[in-house]
Amino acid sequence: MSSFDPVAIRRDFPTLDQQVNGKPLVYLDNAATSQKPRAVLDVVNAYYLHDNANVHRGIHELSRRATEAYEEARAKVAGWINAADSSEVVWTRGTTEAINLVAGSWGMDNIHAGDEIVVTVLEHHSNLVPWQLLARRTGAKLRYIEIDDQGRLDLGPLPDLLNERTKLVAVSHISNSLGTVNPVREIAEAAKKVGALVLVDGAQGAVHARVDVQALGVDFYAFSGHKMCGPTGIGALWARRELLESMEPYQGGGEMIEFVERDMSTWAEVPHKFEAGTPNIAGAIGFGAAVDYLATLPADEVAAHERTLMAYAMERLGAIPGLRIYGPESVEERSAVVSFTMGDAHPHDISTILDSEGIAIRAGHHCAQLVMKRYGVSATARASFYLYNTEEEVDRLADSLEVVKGIFG
Ligand code: C6P
């Protein structure tokens, strides 16, 4: 018997319990950011109420408590992705900063003119623009893995794309615009054969289930706390310790040094050498609490629930005449995201009408303009689900889309 009850779980998330435009809120913008359980809010609040101090600096009780909670949180987040050691987890502002850290540090030292960086058409701009900037500064070249009509990576040409000039393959774990789950392990195996490193944009990947970075066989894994029940402004970069040790700091300042002389400085141990300045202490502690919260849930049942929701959403939305769903047809190949268009109705208008019904979705290019171009659209509407969504909410979405259909014909 299932012990996971999404209706009961909703009580953990205060934000969900409200009316928007006179209707009970249906929050389907989870790929943008998830709602936060009370357990996370309480931990962040308790930190500010009782333990607020700077970390790794003061020799006093509050600083000791703050430092302990901050480092414990690092260990929890490391555990969620099965890092070998918590020192392999660098705190960042989020996925975007984690990827920029790799581009600015490892990239600037290891990518040279004529080198190649392989990316995919599916990428969020966070996993494209940093590589474009790097390519421009170094004279390297970007090469692309294309997608098929269902938004799945076309790995057929991979043997031609990868060669001795390939220094990095940067790929998302799960596409935020289409929900495609990418075969990261397979890509990593192919990349290793030519000696390239692999960076995974895990912004949508570490969210729905634990990740095993060691089993994936990748070199960098970047992810954000706010998409998995944690606060905004905190995320992490994972890399093996030796790799982090081989890299130069990304930013200079307090906390990241060992000794400072007039003309040179030496660096603190990893991960601290990448964490210049006062960090987002409350955010990190909240991220740890988010992982604690997620760890209390029955993972298999949560995954089954999200799959059922997706299958139901695909069925209900797929039955609306003129509605086109983008991305893989098979629920097995996609995560909890449904991107769609409806004839001439602009996605922004769809979103506005749904908002008047209390339903929150995202409309736009989803920071994935290459995906939009691939399908010849400027935008899609996107409903994205999380563990607390219900089939009744899918019904509310589908019923309201019928209304949109009525308006636009
Ligand atoms: N996608 C969305 O609505 P940050 O903003 O750094 O936490 O995450 C950036 C990011 C990187 N990669 C992927 C695959 C993502 O989905 C995101 C964030 C949000 O789809 C906001 S644009």
Side-chain angles (χ1 to χ4, degrees):
M1 208 190 81
S2 173
S3 62
F4 181 70
D5 176 2
V7 175
I9 280 291
R10 294 174 69 82
R11 291 197 280 275
D12 294 345
F13 293 83
T15 325
L16 295 177
D17 183 21
Q18 62 174 296
Q19 305 257 321
V20 168
N21 293 320
K23 311 270 171 54
L25 168 67
V26 174
Y27 185 77
L28 301 179
D29 196 14
N30 294 286
T33 200
S34 73
Q35 297 304 335
K36 321 301 174 201
R38 202 180 296 277
V40 169
L41 304 176
D42 287 349
V43 165
V44 172
N45 206 29
Y47 162 73
Y48 277 127
L49 285 174
H50 306 295
D51 305 326
N52 177 52
N54 215 326
V55 290
H56 297 301
R57 287 161 168 87
I59 306 178
H60 59 77
E61 172 63 16
L62 264 58
S63 178
R64 193 192 56 71
R65 277 192 236 146
T67 303
E68 198 173 291
Y70 177 74
E71 291 302 331
E72 266 173 18
R74 195 193 301 274
K76 289 171 187 176
V77 170
W80 184 255
I81 56 165
N82 195 33
D85 191 81
S86 62
S87 65
E88 298 185 339
V89 169
V90 178
W91 295 126
T92 63
R93 280 193 293 128
T95 306
T96 306
E97 190 179 50
I99 296 172
N100 278 280
L101 190 166
V102 177
S105 169
W106 180 86
M108 281 306 286
D109 282 338
N110 291 280
I111 304 278
H112 307 289
D115 286 346
E116 294 179 0
I117 301 167
V118 172
V119 291
T120 91
V121 168
L122 267 186
E123 298 316 304
H124 185 282
H125 299 161
S126 289
N127 199 26
L128 270 188
V129 181
W131 308 122
Q132 290 176 344
L133 288 169
L134 181 65
R136 200 149 69 187
R137 288 164 80 181
T138 58
K141 184 176 164 197
L142 292 194
R143 300 193 69 191
Y144 280 88
I145 300 176
E146 302 293 334
I147 52 177
D148 67 14
D149 289 344
Q150 288 190 43
R152 298 171 300 191
L153 295 180
D154 178 7
L155 297 188
L158 202 55
D160 291 331
L161 275 177
L162 298 174
N163 58 60
E164 71 285 353
R165 291 185 299 280
T166 317
K167 292 294 177 294
L168 181 77
V169 178
V171 59
S172 48
H173 201 167
I174 293 174
S175 149
N176 70 313
S177 57
L178 301 179
T180 317
V181 180
N182 292 323
V184 166
R185 197 189 318 234
E186 195 185 325
I187 294 170
E189 271 171 25
K192 293 289 131 183
K193 287 191 185 134
V194 296
L197 297 199
V198 178
L199 175 140
V200 176
D201 168 351
Q204 304 289 343
V207 171
H208 299 282
R210 287 176 184 276
V211 169
D212 185 338
V213 285
Q214 300 188 64
L216 277 181
V218 301
D219 300 286
F220 299 107
Y221 197 94
F223 55 117
S224 301
H226 69 95
K227 295 190 198 282
M228 46 191 289
C229 296
T232 48
I234 187 76
L237 171 71
W238 169 84
R240 267 182 300 281
R241 197 183 161 100
E242 316 80 77
L243 181 54
L244 288 176
E245 278 171 349
S246 74
M247 289 162 51
E248 284 290 306
Y250 169 56
Q251 295 175 334
E255 183 62 9
M256 49 73 71
I257 51 85
E258 183 189 30
F259 298 110
V260 175
E261 305 290 345
R262 282 180 180 237
D263 300 323
M264 53 82 66
S265 301
T266 54
W267 315 136
E269 292 278 293
V270 296
H272 308 292
K273 81 171 176 186
F274 297 108
E275 295 174 354
T278 299
N280 183 353
I281 303 164
I285 292 171
F287 195 177
V291 164
D292 275 347
Y293 175 80
L294 291 172
T296 62
L297 305 178
D300 291 347
E301 291 168 35
V302 170
H305 168 63
E306 289 188 357
R307 249 197 323 275
T308 305
L309 271 185
M310 266 306 295
Y312 187 52
M314 301 266 289
E315 181 191 321
R316 286 258 9 222
L317 269 56
I320 298 173
L323 187 149
R324 177 180 175 194
I325 296 177
Y326 299 79
E329 281 164 14
S330 161
V331 175
E332 303 305 319
E333 291 178 292
R334 62 155 70 217
S335 182
V337 169
V338 192
S339 249
F340 58 94
T341 51
M342 290 178 80
D344 290 337
H346 193 282
H348 286 169
D349 294 333
I350 298 175
S351 184
T352 303
I353 296 169
L354 292 181
D355 183 48
S356 70
E357 296 292 317
I359 302 170
I361 63 159
R362 184 173 171 185
H365 54 60
H366 316 295
C367 304
Q369 290 190 11
L370 297 189
V371 175
M372 301 297 118
K373 277 211 176 73
R374 169 66 174 76
Y375 294 110
V377 293
S378 59
T380 69
R382 182 190 71 178
S384 52
F385 304 93
Y386 204 31
L387 45 93
Y388 40 63
N389 289 123
T390 63
E391 291 194 22
E392 289 68 35
E393 291 183 308
V394 174
D395 284 331
R396 286 264 312 274
L397 171 69
D399 293 346
S400 299
L401 287 173
E402 297 280 8
V403 174
V404 176
K405 170 101 187 96
I407 295 170
F408 287 93

